């Protein structure tokens, strides 16, 4: 069951952990971005988003190296996210950890994200990706979320 299917369950989990906090998909447990995350967070099984910042902010994480090996993976995830979430703000957080000298890979990612109304945030270091998540979480009470 997707965590979003039950508002009571979502609110119960969010109340358990202190602000600012996020829900993290269990499959991201070994992701270096998640490892040193300073925010309060809780791992949730069967969550569509990699990081659920608030009820209106969803984040998918993608390593460019992984995308190069499995290019269809993110297309399927973006389609699922667009179909199953009512979130206003959908973000693809992309770690540039391999060469894209001519920019074709990142351009294709941007076009794919535009199709699903997803904002792309590119980062070149794990700490930068972590900072984006922390900034999004701290900003969720503003007009973002």
């Amino acid at each position: 069951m997707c965590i979003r299917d039950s508002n009571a369950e979502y609110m119960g989990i969010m109340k358990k952990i202190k602000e600012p906090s996020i829900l993290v998909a269990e499959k991201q447990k070994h992701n270096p971005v998640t490892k040193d995350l300073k925010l309060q967070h809780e791992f949730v099984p069967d969550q569509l988003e990699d990081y659920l910042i608030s009820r209106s902010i969803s984040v998918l994480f993608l390593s460019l190296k992984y995308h190069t090996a499995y290019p269809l993976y993110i297309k399927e995830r973006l389609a699922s996210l667009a179909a199953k979430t009512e979130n206003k703000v959908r973000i693809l957080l992309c770690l540039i950890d391999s060469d894209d000298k001519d920019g074709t890979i990142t351009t294709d990612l941007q076009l794919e994200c535009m199709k699903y109304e997803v904002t792309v945030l590119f980062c070149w270091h794990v700490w930068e990706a972590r900072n984006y998540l922390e900034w999004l979480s701290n900003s969720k009470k503003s007009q973002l979320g």
Side-chain angles (χ1 to χ4, degrees):
M1 175 175 89
C2 182
I3 194 76
R4 192 171 325 350
D5 292 342
S6 167
N7 279 343
E9 186 178 352
Y10 172 85
M11 293 308 290
I13 291 173
M14 288 307 277
K15 283 180 184 175
K16 274 196 255 178
I17 50 182
K18 298 174 186 170
E19 293 291 333
S21 59
I22 60 175
L23 299 178
V24 181
E26 218 165 69
K27 62 186 170 195
Q28 295 298 320
K29 206 172 228 175
H30 300 291
N31 182 335
V33 173
T34 306
K35 264 186 172 174
D36 295 322
L37 199 59
K38 292 179 184 122
L39 294 169
Q40 289 288 341
H41 57 280
E42 185 166 317
F43 292 102
V44 181
D46 302 322
Q47 178 173 294
L48 176 62
E49 306 87 347
D50 293 328
Y51 301 95
L52 185 60
I53 306 295
S54 72
R55 294 184 59 161
S56 61
I57 304 172
S58 299
V59 178
L60 295 179
F61 177 79
L62 180 67
S63 153
L64 198 61
K65 193 181 293 185
Y66 189 86
H67 178 64
T68 303
Y70 306 98
L72 295 179
Y73 167 80
I74 197 62
K75 292 179 182 193
E76 293 168 3
R77 299 253 353 251
L78 289 169
S80 296
L81 185 67
K84 295 182 181 174
T85 64
E86 63 283 347
N87 290 1
K88 293 182 260 178
V89 180
R90 294 188 293 256
I91 296 168
L92 174 65
L93 184 57
C94 183
L95 178 64
I96 308 295
D97 56 354
S98 69
D99 284 337
D100 184 23
K101 292 179 183 162
D102 59 358
T104 56
I105 300 171
T106 52
T107 300
D108 289 346
L109 274 174
Q110 289 176 40
L111 292 172
E112 196 66 31
C113 285
M114 285 173 59
K115 188 179 354 177
Y116 295 106
E117 297 179 352
V118 173
T119 302
V120 185
L121 296 176
F122 291 112
C123 51
W124 283 259
H125 302 281
V126 170
W127 60 263
E128 189 179 5
R130 194 176 307 117
N131 286 348
Y132 273 127
L133 291 174
E134 291 171 358
W135 177 80
L136 287 165
S137 182
N138 289 327
S139 301
K140 67 183 167 187
K141 289 203 181 355
S142 71
Q143 66 232 28
L144 234 188

